[in-house]
Amino acid sequence: MASSSGPALNEELQCSICLEVFTDPVTTPCGHNFCRSCLVFCDVCDERKQKAVKTCLTCQSSYCETHLEPHLRVPRLKKHKLINAVENLEDYICQKHERPLELFCRDDQMRVCLSCAEGEHRTHKTVPIEEESREKKQVQTQTDVQQKKIQEIEHSEPRKNLTSSFLTSSKTVHISNGMIIGLGILLVAVLPYAVSMCVSVRGHSEQLKMMEEPQKRAEDLNKELQQEITELKRRNIELEQEITDLKRKTIETGLTWAQKFAVDVTLDPDTANPYLILSDDGTQVYFKGIRQDVTANPMRFKDINVMAKQGFSSGRFYFEVQVKGNDDWKLGVARESVNRKELLLTPDKGVWILILMQNNRYLIFADPPVSVSVRVKPDKVGVFVDYEEGLVSFYDVKSRSHLCSFTGQTFTDKLYPFLNPGLNLGNSTPLIITPVW
């Protein structure tokens, strides 16, 4: 009966995704069980989500095998920090510097980022996380081996039996100068890892003395091993406490992290198309089917676009735009040198935007355009830019979810917030730049 139920039990304990015994199992609403790690899905897949195989600590996104391909091919993306796909991405990002925790400080026994290592930990001993992990495994292996040795010593024959064992089973070989070889047999019985020895004895009294020495040595070695194991256990406890502390910390990621880089943005009337109406404070724009009386300006867009006054040539910045009630908009960032008379605005033209078309279709405006899967129509869209990393990300502020990103871009001049309220004929719903709370 046991043999027949064994395979069935194994099947019950097996994750249907990885086909291995459950690791940290969770139950889905439909009643199925899976490993928690197997439910990490790709952030880029549009419709049927594929299982993520890697998480990029730089992009702060997880990718399936298909969408990971640019990270394995594009030179800039190859520099990003990839780890096995994880759900709790926040445990791997430095709260202070928003960079990957890819180093370990041995002085303070904590994970740090490169900025930490170059700052407050610059005089400390820091090593890559991978190196520290390998050494921890070696320490654990060494501890296990030594504990096994201690158990072997503790379960070996009592001291009172050593003499009779030696006298009855030990073999000796006499040579011309009276030396006796054979103590190695006794040492093997007492210390499985001891080396064979040759000891010179003379007379019966010296032989008995010899039999006491291995036992004393075993006791001394036992004491040393116990002390070493105690020290290793102490170190392991400290490491476990450090891991617990890291998990306990609430490290902000995603939209909350991006909002730290909020900037004040106002629209530049000198760049606005003549058919656009801007509010006096420069925070609202909408289309009106009547051409405004404006001065000629080479910086003015031919299409119904407008840029902000504020430009950024380094670092990170973030702003939010209310789009509620508007069914035809474009927003994102554009470089300073963009051709203001160009109608098709794509990354190769110096514009990185997300658009909503009147058929409720969301697109990353590239060549060709890429469809974006949006479950709930956003009322407010957040735009985050990391200049050095070549990253432009879009967020649904209300649901605090990531919509899409341009990655691996190359920025060479200033980037400006960019808005297009669309041809909402009969509907003057504006796009509104709102404060970030």
Side-chain angles (χ1 to χ4, degrees), residues 240-429:
E240 289 174 359
Q241 290 174 345
E242 177 63 26
I243 292 173
T244 301
D245 290 341
L246 286 174
K247 289 183 177 180
R248 190 182 298 117
K249 292 179 180 178
T250 304
I251 303 176
E252 298 174 335
T253 60
L255 179 60
T256 304
W257 176 75
Q259 288 176 325
K260 291 182 177 181
F261 303 96
V263 294
D264 292 327
V265 174
T266 53
L267 300 174
D268 185 354
D270 290 336
T271 67
N273 178 274
Y275 287 88
L276 294 180
I277 303 296
L278 272 62
S279 63
D280 292 338
D281 63 0
T283 61
Q284 302 186 30
V285 58
Y286 66 92
F287 171 79
K288 188 173 184 180
I290 301 175
R291 181 183 176 88
Q292 309 300 303
D293 184 15
V294 295
T295 59
N297 190 322
M299 304 303 289
R300 198 176 300 283
F301 281 96
K302 181 178 181 179
D303 200 1
I304 53 172
N305 307 319
V306 62
M307 287 204 310
K309 295 179 180 180
Q310 295 78 18
F312 306 87
S313 57
S314 65
R316 300 159 176 155
F317 65 94
Y318 172 86
F319 62 96
E320 293 179 351
V321 180
Q322 181 176 306
V323 297
K324 184 177 182 180
N326 190 314
D327 296 324
D328 181 21
W329 51 258
K330 303 178 180 71
L331 62 89
V333 294
R335 68 188 180 199
E336 186 174 30
S337 59
V338 65
N339 184 348
R340 311 301 170 96
K341 311 309 175 185
E342 180 71 55
L343 297 180
L344 183 63
L345 300 178
T346 55
D348 60 321
K349 304 293 185 180
V351 181
W352 295 264
I353 54 176
L354 172 67
I355 72 173
L356 168 62
M357 304 179 70
Q358 290 182 339
N359 59 0
N360 284 330
R361 185 184 180 193
Y362 292 84
L363 298 173
I364 288 182
F365 210 56
D367 187 15
V370 179
S371 178
V372 178
S373 177
V374 177
R375 296 181 180 179
V376 179
K377 191 174 183 178
D379 293 338
K380 186 182 295 185
V381 176
V383 182
F384 171 74
V385 176
D386 188 324
Y387 194 97
E388 282 73 24
E389 289 297 331
L391 174 68
V392 181
S393 294
F394 300 87
Y395 295 90
D396 179 348
V397 177
K398 184 176 181 180
S399 66
R400 310 194 68 78
S401 61
H402 174 259
L403 295 174
C404 58
S405 292
F406 291 93
T407 60
Q409 306 299 304
T410 300
F411 304 135
T412 56
D413 53 1
K414 279 188 177 182
L415 297 180
Y416 291 79
F418 173 98
L419 276 67
N420 179 319
L423 296 171
N424 288 295
L425 297 176
N427 179 7
S428 58
T429 301

Side-chain angles (χ1 to χ4, degrees), residues 63-199:
Y63 302 99
C64 64
E65 290 185 354
T66 300
H67 292 111
L68 179 67
E69 187 273 337
H71 278 76
L72 306 178
R73 173 176 51 83
V74 180
R76 177 186 290 273
L77 296 180
K78 286 182 178 180
K79 298 178 182 179
H80 289 193
K81 180 67 174 179
L82 294 175
I83 62 174
N84 291 333
V86 295
E87 184 177 24
N88 54 330
L89 179 60
E90 62 274 9
D91 290 344
Y92 300 85
I93 305 297
C94 176
Q95 183 179 14
K96 183 176 181 181
H97 302 106
E98 294 87 33
R99 302 185 68 174
L101 292 168
E102 52 189 340
L103 300 173
F104 188 84
C105 175
R106 288 181 170 171
D107 292 48
D108 294 334
Q109 287 293 297
M110 63 183 295
R111 296 172 66 171
V112 297
C113 71
L114 184 58
S115 295
C116 293
E118 294 174 348
E120 58 187 293
H121 296 266
R122 64 182 179 275
T123 60
H124 296 179
K125 174 64 174 178
T126 57
V127 297
I129 285 292
E130 293 81 0
E131 179 180 335
E132 182 67 15
S133 178
R134 285 195 301 269
E135 293 197 9
K136 288 178 183 176
K137 290 180 180 178
Q138 292 173 355
V139 168
Q140 185 60 50
T141 300
Q142 183 180 3
T143 301
D144 294 342
V145 171
Q146 291 176 339
Q147 286 179 329
K148 183 178 180 181
K149 291 177 180 179
I150 291 297
Q151 292 175 357
E152 290 175 350
I153 293 174
E154 292 176 345
H155 291 83
S156 62
E157 293 185 63
R159 178 177 177 180
K160 63 181 181 180
N161 293 331
L162 292 177
T163 302
S164 61
S165 174
F166 181 82
L167 293 178
T168 58
S169 64
S170 176
K171 296 182 180 180
T172 61
V173 178
H174 294 265
I175 57 179
S176 58
N177 61 359
M179 295 183 67
I180 300 177
I181 302 175
L183 186 56
I185 298 174
L186 177 61
L187 287 177
V188 169
V190 180
L191 299 172
Y193 51 82
V195 297
S196 298
M197 300 176 62
C198 291
V199 183

